[in-house]
Amino acid sequence: MDNEAVNINEEDAKLNGVNEENAIDNDNQPDVETPAEKKAREEREAREREFRAKKRRLIPPFVMLLAGAIISITMRILHYDTKTMLIILLGVLLGFYIAGCVIKGMLDRFEKQIEEADMEEGEVIEKELAEEDKLNRNSEATVKDE
């Protein structure tokens, strides 16, 4: 029974044009992107970066408006004079707008560092693959010469 199953699997593989040597070789090779796949991936990553940048652009105004709303309500409850309230509110709005800009700048810098690390990692992988390919070609040429 076991021999029949093995024979059937071998026959299926032969019919599908797959032999055991090719199947083993395909498992050992790393996944290499085609130029079209690489271009599509880069375009997708660029769109994602643009989307995140648009969302981050809104951080300073939201921080400023949230702080302004909280301060306005607090000062109204505490019965501040209108002139004093407006001066304090202006200072708070400016201060929290600057704080939001600092937060946005930090997030931008973090993303840039992550992006640079990914680019360096990709270059290292591509170099390693190129070197392995070169070594394989040299070894094949040596075998052919013998």
Coordinates of all heavy atoms in Angstrom, one line a residue, residues 17-101:
G17 N 5.6 17.6 -14.6 CA 6.9 18.1 -15.0 C 7.8 18.5 -13.9 O 8.7 19.4 -14.1
V18 N 7.6 17.9 -12.7 CA 8.4 18.3 -11.6 C 9.2 17.0 -11.2 O 8.7 16.0 -11.0 CB 7.5 18.7 -10.4 CG1 8.4 19.0 -9.2 CG2 6.7 19.9 -10.8
N19 N 10.5 17.2 -11.1 CA 11.3 16.1 -10.6 C 11.8 16.5 -9.2 O 11.8 17.6 -8.8 CB 12.5 15.7 -11.5 CG 13.4 16.8 -11.8 OD1 13.5 17.8 -11.0 ND2 14.1 16.8 -12.9
E20 N 12.3 15.5 -8.5 CA 12.7 15.7 -7.1 C 13.8 16.7 -6.9 O 13.9 17.5 -6.0 CB 13.1 14.4 -6.4 CG 11.9 13.5 -6.3 CD 12.3 12.1 -5.7 OE1 13.4 12.1 -5.1 OE2 11.5 11.2 -5.8
E21 N 14.8 16.7 -7.9 CA 15.9 17.6 -7.8 C 15.5 19.1 -7.9 O 15.9 19.9 -7.2 CB 16.9 17.3 -8.9 CG 17.6 15.9 -8.8 CD 18.4 15.6 -10.0 OE1 18.5 16.4 -10.9 OE2 18.9 14.4 -10.0
N22 N 14.6 19.4 -8.8 CA 14.1 20.7 -9.0 C 13.3 21.2 -7.8 O 13.4 22.3 -7.4 CB 13.2 20.9 -10.3 CG 14.1 20.8 -11.5 OD1 15.3 21.0 -11.5 ND2 13.4 20.5 -12.6
A23 N 12.5 20.3 -7.2 CA 11.7 20.7 -6.1 C 12.6 21.0 -4.9 O 12.4 22.0 -4.2 CB 10.8 19.5 -5.7
I24 N 13.7 20.3 -4.7 CA 14.6 20.5 -3.6 C 15.4 21.9 -3.9 O 15.5 22.7 -3.0 CB 15.7 19.4 -3.5 CG1 14.9 18.1 -3.0 CG2 16.8 19.8 -2.5 CD1 15.8 16.9 -3.0
D25 N 15.8 22.1 -5.1 CA 16.5 23.4 -5.4 C 15.6 24.6 -5.2 O 16.1 25.6 -4.7 CB 17.0 23.4 -6.9 CG 18.1 22.4 -7.1 OD1 18.7 22.0 -6.0 OD2 18.4 22.0 -8.2
N26 N 14.3 24.5 -5.5 CA 13.4 25.6 -5.3 C 13.2 26.0 -3.9 O 13.1 27.1 -3.5 CB 12.1 25.3 -6.0 CG 12.2 25.4 -7.5 OD1 13.1 25.9 -8.1 ND2 11.2 24.7 -8.1
D27 N 13.3 24.9 -3.0 CA 13.1 25.2 -1.6 C 14.3 25.9 -1.0 O 14.2 26.7 -0.1 CB 12.9 23.9 -0.8 CG 11.5 23.3 -1.2 OD1 10.6 24.0 -1.6 OD2 11.4 22.1 -1.0
N28 N 15.5 25.6 -1.5 CA 16.7 26.2 -0.9 C 17.0 27.7 -1.4 O 17.7 28.4 -0.8 CB 18.0 25.4 -1.3 CG 17.9 24.0 -0.6 OD1 17.3 23.9 0.4 ND2 18.6 23.1 -1.2
Q29 N 16.4 28.1 -2.5 CA 16.7 29.4 -3.0 C 15.8 30.4 -2.4 O 14.6 30.2 -2.1 CB 16.4 29.4 -4.6 CG 17.5 28.6 -5.3 CD 17.6 29.0 -6.7 OE1 16.9 29.9 -7.2 NE2 18.4 28.3 -7.5
P30 N 16.3 31.6 -2.1 CA 15.5 32.6 -1.4 C 14.5 33.2 -2.4 O 14.8 33.2 -3.7 CB 16.5 33.7 -1.0 CG 17.7 33.5 -1.9 CD 17.7 32.0 -2.2
D31 N 13.5 33.8 -1.9 CA 12.5 34.5 -2.8 C 13.1 35.8 -3.3 O 13.5 36.7 -2.6 CB 11.2 34.8 -2.0 CG 10.5 33.6 -1.6 OD1 10.6 32.5 -2.3 OD2 9.8 33.6 -0.6
V32 N 13.2 35.8 -4.7 CA 13.8 37.0 -5.3 C 12.7 37.7 -6.0 O 11.9 37.1 -6.8 CB 14.9 36.6 -6.3 CG1 15.5 37.8 -7.0 CG2 16.0 35.8 -5.6
E33 N 12.6 39.0 -5.8 CA 11.6 39.8 -6.5 C 12.0 40.1 -7.9 O 13.1 40.3 -8.2 CB 11.4 41.2 -5.8 CG 10.8 41.1 -4.4 CD 10.6 42.5 -3.8 OE1 11.4 43.4 -4.1 OE2 9.6 42.7 -3.1
T34 N 11.0 40.1 -8.8 CA 11.2 40.5 -10.1 C 11.2 42.0 -10.2 O 10.7 42.6 -9.2 CB 10.1 39.9 -11.1 OG1 8.8 40.5 -10.7 CG2 10.0 38.4 -11.0
P35 N 11.7 42.6 -11.2 CA 11.7 44.1 -11.3 C 10.3 44.7 -11.2 O 10.1 45.7 -10.6 CB 12.4 44.4 -12.6 CG 13.3 43.2 -12.9 CD 12.5 42.0 -12.3
A36 N 9.3 44.0 -11.8 CA 8.0 44.5 -11.7 C 7.4 44.5 -10.3 O 6.8 45.4 -9.8 CB 7.1 43.7 -12.7
E37 N 7.7 43.4 -9.6 CA 7.2 43.2 -8.2 C 7.9 44.3 -7.3 O 7.3 44.9 -6.5 CB 7.5 41.8 -7.7 CG 6.7 40.7 -8.3 CD 7.1 39.4 -7.9 OE1 8.3 39.2 -7.4 OE2 6.3 38.4 -8.0
K38 N 9.2 44.5 -7.6 CA 10.0 45.5 -6.8 C 9.4 46.9 -7.0 O 9.2 47.6 -6.1 CB 11.4 45.4 -7.2 CG 12.3 46.3 -6.3 CD 13.8 46.2 -6.7 CE 14.6 47.0 -5.8 NZ 16.1 46.9 -6.2
K39 N 9.1 47.2 -8.3 CA 8.5 48.5 -8.6 C 7.2 48.7 -7.9 O 6.9 49.8 -7.3 CB 8.4 48.7 -10.1 CG 8.0 50.1 -10.5 CD 7.9 50.2 -12.0 CE 7.4 51.6 -12.4 NZ 7.4 51.7 -13.9
A40 N 6.3 47.7 -8.0 CA 5.0 47.7 -7.4 C 5.1 47.9 -5.9 O 4.4 48.7 -5.2 CB 4.2 46.5 -7.7
R41 N 6.0 47.2 -5.2 CA 6.2 47.3 -3.8 C 6.7 48.7 -3.4 O 6.2 49.3 -2.5 CB 7.3 46.3 -3.3 CG 7.5 46.3 -1.8 CD 8.6 45.3 -1.3 NE 9.8 45.3 -2.1 CZ 10.8 46.2 -2.0 NH1 10.7 47.1 -1.1 NH2 11.9 46.1 -2.7
E42 N 7.6 49.2 -4.2 CA 8.1 50.6 -3.9 C 7.0 51.6 -4.0 O 6.9 52.6 -3.2 CB 9.3 50.9 -4.8 CG 10.6 50.1 -4.4 CD 11.7 50.3 -5.4 OE1 11.5 51.0 -6.5 OE2 12.8 49.8 -5.2
E43 N 6.2 51.5 -5.1 CA 5.1 52.4 -5.3 C 4.1 52.3 -4.1 O 3.6 53.3 -3.6 CB 4.4 52.1 -6.6 CG 5.2 52.5 -7.8 CD 4.5 52.1 -9.1 OE1 3.4 51.5 -9.1 OE2 5.1 52.4 -10.1
R44 N 3.8 51.1 -3.6 CA 2.9 50.9 -2.5 C 3.5 51.5 -1.2 O 2.7 52.2 -0.5 CB 2.6 49.4 -2.3 CG 1.6 49.1 -1.3 CD 1.4 47.6 -1.1 NE 2.5 47.0 -0.5 CZ 3.3 46.1 -1.1 NH1 3.0 45.7 -2.4 NH2 4.4 45.6 -0.6
E45 N 4.8 51.3 -1.0 CA 5.4 51.9 0.2 C 5.4 53.4 0.1 O 5.2 54.1 1.1 CB 6.8 51.4 0.3 CG 6.9 50.0 0.7 CD 8.3 49.4 0.7 OE1 9.2 50.1 0.3 OE2 8.5 48.3 1.2
A46 N 5.6 54.0 -1.1 CA 5.6 55.5 -1.3 C 4.2 56.0 -1.0 O 4.0 57.1 -0.3 CB 6.0 55.9 -2.7
R47 N 3.1 55.3 -1.4 CA 1.7 55.8 -1.1 C 1.5 55.7 0.4 O 0.8 56.6 0.9 CB 0.7 54.9 -1.9 CG 0.6 55.2 -3.3 CD -0.6 54.6 -3.9 NE -0.7 53.1 -3.6 CZ -0.3 52.2 -4.5 NH1 0.1 52.5 -5.7 NH2 -0.4 50.9 -4.2
E48 N 2.0 54.6 1.0 CA 1.8 54.5 2.5 C 2.5 55.6 3.2 O 1.9 56.2 4.2 CB 2.3 53.2 3.0 CG 1.4 52.0 2.5 CD 2.0 50.7 2.9 OE1 3.1 50.6 3.5 OE2 1.4 49.6 2.6
R49 N 3.7 56.0 2.8 CA 4.4 57.1 3.4 C 3.7 58.4 3.3 O 3.6 59.2 4.2 CB 5.8 57.2 2.9 CG 6.8 56.2 3.4 CD 8.2 56.5 3.0 NE 8.4 56.6 1.6 CZ 8.7 55.6 0.8 NH1 8.9 54.4 1.3 NH2 8.9 55.8 -0.5
E50 N 3.2 58.7 2.1 CA 2.4 59.9 1.8 C 1.2 60.0 2.7 O 0.8 61.0 3.2 CB 2.0 60.0 0.3 CG 3.2 60.2 -0.6 CD 2.8 60.2 -2.0 OE1 1.5 60.2 -2.3 OE2 3.7 60.1 -2.9
F51 N 0.5 58.8 2.9 CA -0.7 58.8 3.7 C -0.4 59.1 5.1 O -1.1 59.9 5.8 CB -1.4 57.4 3.6 CG -2.7 57.3 4.4 CD1 -3.8 58.0 4.0 CD2 -2.7 56.5 5.5 CE1 -5.0 57.9 4.8 CE2 -3.8 56.4 6.3 CZ -5.0 57.1 5.9
R52 N 0.7 58.5 5.6 CA 1.1 58.7 7.0 C 1.5 60.2 7.2 O 1.3 60.8 8.2 CB 2.2 57.8 7.4 CG 1.8 56.4 7.7 CD 2.8 55.5 8.4 NE 4.0 55.5 7.6 CZ 4.4 54.5 6.7 NH1 3.5 53.5 6.5 NH2 5.5 54.5 6.1
A53 N 2.2 60.8 6.2 CA 2.6 62.2 6.3 C 1.4 63.1 6.3 O 1.4 64.1 7.1 CB 3.5 62.5 5.1
K54 N 0.4 62.8 5.6 CA -0.9 63.6 5.6 C -1.5 63.5 7.0 O -2.0 64.6 7.5 CB -1.9 63.1 4.5 CG -1.5 63.5 3.1 CD -2.5 63.0 2.1 CE -2.2 63.4 0.7 NZ -3.1 62.8 -0.2
K55 N -1.5 62.4 7.6 CA -2.1 62.2 8.9 C -1.3 63.0 9.9 O -1.9 63.6 10.8 CB -2.2 60.8 9.3 CG -3.4 60.1 8.6 CD -3.5 58.6 8.8 CE -3.1 58.1 10.1 NZ -3.3 56.6 10.3
R56 N 0.0 62.9 9.8 CA 0.9 63.6 10.8 C 0.8 65.1 10.7 O 1.0 65.9 11.6 CB 2.3 63.2 10.6 CG 2.7 61.9 11.3 CD 4.2 61.7 11.4 NE 4.8 61.8 10.1 CZ 5.0 60.8 9.2 NH1 4.6 59.6 9.5 NH2 5.6 61.0 8.1
R57 N 0.5 65.6 9.5 CA 0.3 67.1 9.3 C -0.8 67.7 10.1 O -0.7 68.8 10.5 CB 0.0 67.3 7.8 CG 0.2 68.7 7.4 CD -0.2 68.9 5.9 NE -1.6 68.9 5.7 CZ -2.2 68.3 4.7 NH1 -1.5 67.7 3.8 NH2 -3.5 68.3 4.6
L58 N -1.7 66.9 10.6 CA -2.8 67.3 11.4 C -2.6 67.3 12.9 O -3.4 67.8 13.7 CB -4.1 66.5 11.1 CG -4.6 66.6 9.6 CD1 -5.8 65.6 9.4 CD2 -5.0 68.0 9.3
I59 N -1.4 66.8 13.3 CA -1.1 66.7 14.7 C -1.1 68.0 15.4 O -1.7 68.3 16.4 CB 0.1 65.8 15.0 CG1 -0.1 64.4 14.6 CG2 0.6 66.0 16.4 CD1 1.1 63.5 14.7
P60 N -0.3 69.0 14.9 CA -0.2 70.3 15.6 C -1.5 71.0 15.8 O -1.8 71.5 16.9 CB 0.8 71.1 14.7 CG 1.6 70.1 14.0 CD 0.7 68.9 13.8
P61 N -2.4 71.1 14.7 CA -3.7 71.8 15.0 C -4.6 71.1 16.0 O -5.2 71.7 16.8 CB -4.3 71.8 13.6 CG -3.3 71.6 12.6 CD -2.2 70.8 13.3
F62 N -4.6 69.7 15.9 CA -5.4 69.0 16.9 C -4.9 69.2 18.3 O -5.7 69.4 19.3 CB -5.5 67.5 16.6 CG -6.5 67.2 15.5 CD1 -6.1 66.5 14.3 CD2 -7.8 67.7 15.6 CE1 -7.1 66.3 13.3 CE2 -8.8 67.4 14.6 CZ -8.4 66.7 13.5
V63 N -3.6 69.1 18.5 CA -3.1 69.4 19.9 C -3.4 70.8 20.4 O -3.9 71.0 21.5 CB -1.5 69.1 19.9 CG1 -0.9 69.6 21.2 CG2 -1.2 67.6 19.6
M64 N -3.2 71.7 19.5 CA -3.5 73.1 19.8 C -5.0 73.3 20.2 O -5.3 74.0 21.2 CB -3.1 74.0 18.7 CG -3.4 75.5 18.9 SD -3.1 76.5 17.4 CE -4.4 76.0 16.4
L65 N -5.9 72.8 19.3 CA -7.3 73.0 19.6 C -7.8 72.3 20.8 O -8.7 72.8 21.5 CB -8.1 72.6 18.3 CG -7.9 73.5 17.1 CD1 -8.6 72.9 15.9 CD2 -8.4 74.9 17.4
L66 N -7.3 71.1 21.1 CA -7.7 70.4 22.3 C -7.2 71.1 23.5 O -8.0 71.3 24.5 CB -7.1 69.0 22.3 CG -7.4 68.1 23.5 CD1 -8.9 67.8 23.5 CD2 -6.6 66.8 23.4
A67 N -6.0 71.6 23.5 CA -5.5 72.4 24.7 C -6.3 73.7 24.8 O -6.7 74.1 26.0 CB -4.0 72.7 24.5
G68 N -6.6 74.3 23.7 CA -7.4 75.6 23.8 C -8.8 75.3 24.3 O -9.3 76.1 25.1
A69 N -9.4 74.2 23.9 CA -10.8 73.9 24.4 C -10.7 73.7 25.9 O -11.6 74.2 26.7 CB -11.3 72.7 23.7
I70 N -9.8 72.9 26.4 CA -9.7 72.6 27.8 C -9.4 73.9 28.6 O -10.1 74.1 29.7 CB -8.6 71.5 28.0 CG1 -9.0 70.2 27.4 CG2 -8.3 71.4 29.5 CD1 -7.9 69.2 27.4
I71 N -8.5 74.7 28.2 CA -8.2 75.9 28.9 C -9.4 76.9 28.9 O -9.7 77.5 29.9 CB -6.9 76.6 28.3 CG1 -5.7 75.8 28.5 CG2 -6.7 78.0 28.8 CD1 -5.4 75.6 30.0
S72 N -10.1 77.0 27.7 CA -11.2 77.9 27.7 C -12.3 77.5 28.7 O -12.9 78.3 29.4 CB -11.8 77.9 26.3 OG -10.9 78.4 25.4
I73 N -12.6 76.2 28.7 CA -13.6 75.7 29.6 C -13.2 75.9 31.0 O -14.0 76.4 31.9 CB -13.9 74.2 29.3 CG1 -14.6 74.1 27.9 CG2 -14.8 73.6 30.4 CD1 -14.7 72.7 27.4
T74 N -12.0 75.6 31.3 CA -11.5 75.8 32.7 C -11.5 77.2 33.1 O -12.0 77.5 34.3 CB -10.0 75.3 32.8 OG1 -10.0 73.9 32.4 CG2 -9.5 75.4 34.2
M75 N -11.1 78.2 32.3 CA -11.1 79.6 32.7 C -12.5 80.1 32.7 O -12.8 81.0 33.6 CB -10.3 80.4 31.6 CG -8.8 80.2 31.8 SD -7.7 81.3 30.9 CE -8.1 80.9 29.2
R76 N -13.4 79.6 31.9 CA -14.8 80.0 32.0 C -15.4 79.6 33.3 O -16.2 80.3 34.0 CB -15.6 79.5 30.8 CG -16.9 80.0 30.7 CD -16.9 81.4 30.1 NE -18.3 81.8 29.9 CZ -18.6 83.0 29.9 NH1 -17.7 84.0 30.1 NH2 -19.9 83.3 29.6
I77 N -15.1 78.4 33.8 CA -15.6 77.8 35.0 C -15.1 78.6 36.2 O -15.8 78.9 37.2 CB -15.3 76.3 35.2 CG1 -16.1 75.5 34.2 CG2 -15.6 75.8 36.6 CD1 -15.8 74.1 34.1
L78 N -13.8 79.1 36.1 CA -13.2 79.8 37.2 C -13.4 81.3 37.1 O -12.9 82.1 37.9 CB -11.7 79.5 37.2 CG -11.2 78.1 37.4 CD1 -9.7 78.0 37.3 CD2 -11.7 77.6 38.8
H79 N -14.3 81.7 36.2 CA -14.8 83.1 36.1 C -13.6 84.1 35.8 O -13.5 85.2 36.5 CB -15.6 83.6 37.3 CG -16.8 82.7 37.5 ND1 -17.9 82.6 36.7 CD2 -17.0 81.8 38.5 CE1 -18.7 81.8 37.2 NE2 -18.2 81.2 38.3
Y80 N -12.8 83.8 34.9 CA -11.7 84.7 34.5 C -12.3 85.9 33.8 O -13.3 85.8 33.1 CB -10.7 84.0 33.6 CG -9.5 83.3 34.3 CD1 -9.8 82.2 35.0 CD2 -8.3 83.8 34.3 CE1 -8.8 81.5 35.7 CE2 -7.2 83.2 35.0 CZ -7.5 82.0 35.7 OH -6.5 81.4 36.3
D81 N -11.6 87.0 33.8 CA -12.0 88.2 33.1 C -11.7 87.9 31.6 O -10.8 87.2 31.2 CB -11.1 89.4 33.6 CG -11.5 90.7 32.9 OD1 -12.6 90.9 32.4 OD2 -10.6 91.6 32.7
T82 N -12.5 88.5 30.7 CA -12.4 88.2 29.3 C -11.1 88.5 28.7 O -10.5 87.8 27.9 CB -13.5 88.9 28.5 OG1 -14.8 88.6 29.0 CG2 -13.5 88.5 27.0
K83 N -10.6 89.7 29.0 CA -9.3 90.2 28.5 C -8.2 89.2 29.0 O -7.3 88.8 28.2 CB -9.0 91.6 28.9 CG -7.7 92.2 28.3 CD -7.5 93.6 28.7 CE -6.3 94.1 28.1 NZ -6.0 95.5 28.5
T84 N -8.1 88.9 30.2 CA -7.1 88.0 30.8 C -7.3 86.6 30.1 O -6.3 85.9 29.8 CB -7.3 87.8 32.3 OG1 -7.3 89.2 32.9 CG2 -6.2 87.0 32.9
M85 N -8.5 86.1 30.0 CA -8.8 84.8 29.4 C -8.2 84.8 28.0 O -7.6 83.8 27.6 CB -10.3 84.6 29.4 CG -10.6 83.1 29.0 SD -12.4 82.8 29.3 CE -13.1 83.0 27.7
L86 N -8.4 85.8 27.2 CA -8.0 85.8 25.8 C -6.4 85.8 25.7 O -5.8 85.1 24.8 CB -8.6 87.0 25.0 CG -10.1 86.9 24.7 CD1 -10.6 88.2 24.1 CD2 -10.3 85.7 23.8
I87 N -5.8 86.6 26.6 CA -4.3 86.6 26.6 C -3.7 85.2 26.9 O -2.8 84.7 26.3 CB -3.8 87.7 27.5 CG1 -4.2 89.1 27.0 CG2 -2.3 87.6 27.7 CD1 -4.0 90.2 27.9
I88 N -4.3 84.6 28.0 CA -3.8 83.3 28.4 C -4.1 82.3 27.3 O -3.3 81.4 27.0 CB -4.5 82.9 29.7 CG1 -4.0 83.8 30.8 CG2 -4.2 81.4 30.0 CD1 -4.7 83.6 32.1
L89 N -5.3 82.3 26.7 CA -5.7 81.4 25.6 C -4.7 81.5 24.4 O -4.3 80.5 23.9 CB -7.1 81.7 25.2 CG -7.7 80.7 24.1 CD1 -7.7 79.3 24.6 CD2 -9.1 81.1 23.7
L90 N -4.4 82.8 24.0 CA -3.4 83.0 22.9 C -2.1 82.3 23.2 O -1.5 81.6 22.4 CB -3.3 84.5 22.6 CG -2.3 84.8 21.5 CD1 -2.8 84.3 20.2 CD2 -2.1 86.3 21.4
G91 N -1.6 82.5 24.4 CA -0.3 81.9 24.8 C -0.4 80.4 24.8 O 0.6 79.7 24.4
V92 N -1.5 79.9 25.3 CA -1.6 78.4 25.4 C -1.7 77.8 23.9 O -1.1 76.8 23.6 CB -2.9 78.0 26.2 CG1 -3.2 76.5 26.0 CG2 -2.6 78.3 27.7
L93 N -2.5 78.5 23.1 CA -2.6 78.0 21.7 C -1.2 78.0 21.0 O -0.9 77.1 20.3 CB -3.6 78.9 20.9 CG -5.0 78.7 21.3 CD1 -5.9 79.7 20.5 CD2 -5.5 77.3 21.1
L94 N -0.5 79.1 21.1 CA 0.9 79.2 20.5 C 1.8 78.1 21.1 O 2.5 77.4 20.3 CB 1.5 80.6 20.7 CG 0.9 81.7 19.9 CD1 1.5 83.0 20.3 CD2 1.0 81.4 18.4
G95 N 1.8 78.0 22.4 CA 2.7 77.0 23.1 C 2.3 75.5 22.6 O 3.3 74.8 22.3
F96 N 1.1 75.2 22.6 CA 0.7 73.8 22.2 C 0.8 73.6 20.7 O 1.1 72.5 20.3 CB -0.7 73.5 22.7 CG -0.7 73.0 24.1 CD1 -0.9 73.9 25.2 CD2 -0.4 71.7 24.4 CE1 -0.8 73.5 26.5 CE2 -0.4 71.3 25.7 CZ -0.6 72.2 26.8
Y97 N 0.7 74.6 19.9 CA 1.0 74.5 18.4 C 2.5 74.1 18.2 O 2.8 73.2 17.5 CB 0.6 75.7 17.7 CG 0.8 75.6 16.2 CD1 -0.1 74.8 15.4 CD2 2.0 76.1 15.5 CE1 0.1 74.6 14.1 CE2 2.2 75.9 14.2 CZ 1.2 75.2 13.4 OH 1.4 75.0 12.1
I98 N 3.4 74.8 19.0 CA 4.8 74.5 18.9 C 5.1 73.1 19.4 O 5.9 72.4 18.8 CB 5.6 75.6 19.7 CG1 5.5 76.9 18.9 CG2 7.1 75.2 19.8 CD1 6.0 78.1 19.7
A99 N 4.4 72.7 20.5 CA 4.6 71.4 21.0 C 4.1 70.3 20.0 O 4.8 69.3 19.8 CB 3.8 71.2 22.3
G100 N 3.0 70.6 19.3 CA 2.6 69.7 18.2 C 3.5 69.6 17.1 O 3.8 68.5 16.5
C101 N 4.1 70.7 16.7 CA 5.1 70.7 15.7 C 6.4 69.9 16.1 O 7.0 69.2 15.2 CB 5.6 72.1 15.3 SG 4.3 73.0 14.4

